Amino acid sequence: MRMAWWIFISLITVQIILVQYMVEEFLAGHFDTLPYYVYGLGFMLVITIITYIFFKKIDRVMDQ
């Protein structure tokens, strides 16, 4: 489960960076690029959920 921890940390780091870029673009007034950051953030959220489910099932199989 140690590898899963590092993958989750890296995915959360990417999400934090995307939110930071979104805020910078919003404050700069570049509203036309915001949907791309929202799509990227949504994609990273879906990937994080899928990774969580994957490692949860692997952990359950290893316990059997």
Side-chain angles (χ1 to χ4, degrees):
M1 199 65 180
R2 195 174 290 167
M3 182 178 172
W5 174 254
W6 289 110
I7 291 175
F8 290 137
I9 293 298
S10 64
L11 290 174
I12 290 172
T13 303
V14 170
Q15 291 175 359
I16 290 170
I17 291 169
L18 280 174
V19 168
Q20 178 185 355
Y21 283 146
M22 279 179 60
V23 170
E24 288 177 4
E25 290 292 320
F26 178 77
L27 293 176
H30 302 145
F31 302 114
D32 55 336
T33 58
L34 286 179
Y36 299 114
Y37 289 109
V38 171
Y39 298 149
L41 195 60
F43 176 75
M44 288 307 299
L45 182 65
V46 169
I47 294 298
T48 304
I49 291 170
I50 290 172
T51 305
Y52 174 76
I53 292 169
F54 175 74
F55 279 110
K56 189 174 177 183
K57 287 186 178 187
I58 284 178
D59 203 29
R60 192 176 329 146
V61 168
M62 289 179 68
D63 287 340
Q64 291 180 355

